[in-house]
């Protein structure tokens, strides 16, 4: 399974409705289990945005606080991550916006493992976005809550080895775990970001890429840590490739 996806799904389906209930009146009264996203008007969910950041990433209030080596950041207006995300998602065409990653513990000229990956962030992704690709790299992104709610019914529960005993009637999963298994973030791959990109593209969701460095973080240091990271990426992609989630098996019109 994927612990990150479980936590994100739990947050979206259990915790965020509680927060919404503080500021908005549900259209139907909540039952004993608490409010649900479906209890709120669609307009409320559409105006709500979920931001996803890895634990090693930090929002830069003023992007001019940090500089790329030998050149300024792409933006020069001093506006930070959250305002930029909300500004992009004020356009109803988009349900997801992704921003690039930058690591302050990496020297570009000594980046042997290509952590900074500028060719991807500055050339490949802008090009793919114009072709309709829904870019999702797991962090530094904003997602419209209405979109997450609409696409929260998945078949992850049947695809995840960790819960097959429960599906077969063995064991008694908690309501929290059961809700998390059926959220919008895929749990059938350890690379939930790539899996989510495929799922959202398949569902017709429109996303965009905002090519400004607005978040900074720290990359894995040392060969062992890098090997674990890249091994996880490889495992996740193989999990998708050798499964019915492979786009090659999608029905074609």
């Amino acid at each position: 399974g994927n612990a990150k996806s479980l936590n994100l799904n739990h947050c979206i389906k259990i915790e965020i409705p509680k927060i919404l209930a503080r500021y908005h009146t549900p259209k139907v009264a909540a039952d004993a289990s608490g409010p649900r996203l479906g209890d709120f008007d669609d307009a409320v969910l559409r105006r709500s945005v979920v931001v996803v950041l890895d634990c090693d990433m930090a929002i830069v209030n003023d992007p001019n606080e940090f500089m790329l080596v030998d050149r300024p950041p792409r933006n020069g207006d001093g506006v930070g991550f959250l305002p930029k995300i909300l500004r992009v998602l004020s356009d109803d065409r988009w349900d997801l916006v992704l921003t690039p990653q930058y690591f302050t513990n990496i020297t570009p000229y000594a980046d042997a493992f290509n952590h900074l990956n500028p060719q991807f962030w500055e050339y490949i992704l802008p090009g793919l976005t114009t072709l309709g690709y829904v870019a999702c790299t797991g962090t530094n992104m904003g997602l419209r809550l209405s979109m997450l709610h609409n696409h929260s019914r998945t078949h992850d529960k049947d695809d995840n080895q960790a819960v097959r005993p429960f599906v077969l009637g063995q064991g008694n999963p908690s309501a929290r775990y059961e809700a998390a298994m059926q959220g919008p973030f895929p749990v059938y791959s350890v690379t939930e970001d790539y899996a989510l990109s495929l799922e959202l593209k398949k569902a017709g969701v429109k996303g965009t890429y905002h090519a400004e460095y607005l978040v900074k973080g720290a990359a894995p240091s040392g060969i062992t840590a890098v090997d674990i990271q890249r091994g996880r990426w490889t495992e996740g992609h193989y999990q998708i490739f050798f499964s019915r989630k492979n786009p090659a098996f999608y029905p074609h019109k």
Side-chain angles (χ1 to χ4, degrees):
N2 188 311
K4 178 180 176 181
S5 287
L6 292 174
N7 286 330
L8 287 169
N9 289 339
H10 169 73
C11 180
I12 291 167
K13 302 195 72 176
I14 306 297
E15 300 303 329
I16 288 181
K18 297 177 183 177
I19 298 174
L20 288 177
R22 299 176 190 170
Y23 305 98
H24 303 280
T25 302
K27 58 185 179 182
V28 296
D31 57 24
S33 63
R36 303 171 185 269
L37 290 180
D39 297 340
F40 298 91
D41 290 330
D42 291 339
V44 172
L45 300 183
R46 185 144 190 89
R47 293 196 305 266
S48 302
V49 174
V50 175
V51 170
V52 179
L53 293 167
D54 281 350
C55 61
D56 57 355
M57 291 289 173
I59 291 175
V60 180
N61 292 324
D62 181 356
N64 294 317
E65 291 177 1
F66 75 101
M67 306 283 285
L68 302 183
V69 173
D70 292 339
R71 58 194 172 116
R74 281 178 169 268
N75 57 306
D77 56 12
V79 178
F81 176 79
L82 290 175
K84 285 287 178 69
I85 288 294
L86 295 176
R87 183 183 300 174
V88 173
L89 291 179
S90 66
D91 186 335
D92 288 337
R93 291 179 299 169
W94 313 122
D95 286 319
L96 177 151
V97 56
L98 175 73
T99 67
Q101 301 175 26
Y102 185 75
F103 305 107
T104 55
N105 64 329
I106 300 295
T107 302
Y109 300 125
D111 187 11
F113 298 108
N114 196 28
H115 288 295
L116 295 177
N117 207 0
Q119 68 275 11
F120 177 72
W121 297 115
E122 299 184 21
Y123 301 100
I124 295 176
L125 264 188
L128 289 177
T129 301
T130 62
L131 298 176
Y133 178 68
V134 180
C136 172
T137 57
T139 184
N140 305 7
M141 61 182 178
L143 307 100
R144 205 180 297 277
L145 185 56
S146 58
M147 179 272 291
L148 293 173
H149 173 56
N150 292 336
H151 297 287
S152 63
R153 295 184 178 276
T154 69
H155 298 289
D156 295 348
K157 183 171 59 175
D158 298 325
D159 295 332
N160 190 341
Q161 294 284 351
V163 296
R164 284 189 177 176
F166 297 135
V167 175
L168 296 175
Q170 304 168 14
N172 182 27
S174 66
R176 174 183 181 275
Y177 190 76
E178 186 72 11
M181 289 305 304
Q182 300 179 63
F185 284 85
V187 298
Y188 54 80
S189 171
V190 295
T191 51
E192 83 294 330
D193 48 0
Y194 179 61
L196 182 63
S197 291
L198 297 176
E199 295 282 357
L200 296 184
K201 178 64 178 177
K202 180 182 178 183
V205 171
K206 303 295 184 182
T208 188
Y209 172 61
H210 189 73
E212 293 188 47
Y213 293 93
L214 303 170
V215 179
K216 62 182 179 180
S221 58
I223 295 178
T224 300
V226 173
D227 181 63
I228 293 174
Q229 179 195 59
R230 306 299 166 88
R232 186 179 71 253
W233 292 351
T234 303
E235 177 186 359
H237 283 71
Y238 274 124
Q239 286 174 329
I240 296 170
F241 185 82
F242 292 107
S243 76
R244 58 190 177 91
K245 297 293 185 178
N246 188 324
F249 301 122
Y250 288 175
H252 296 283
K253 296 181 180 180

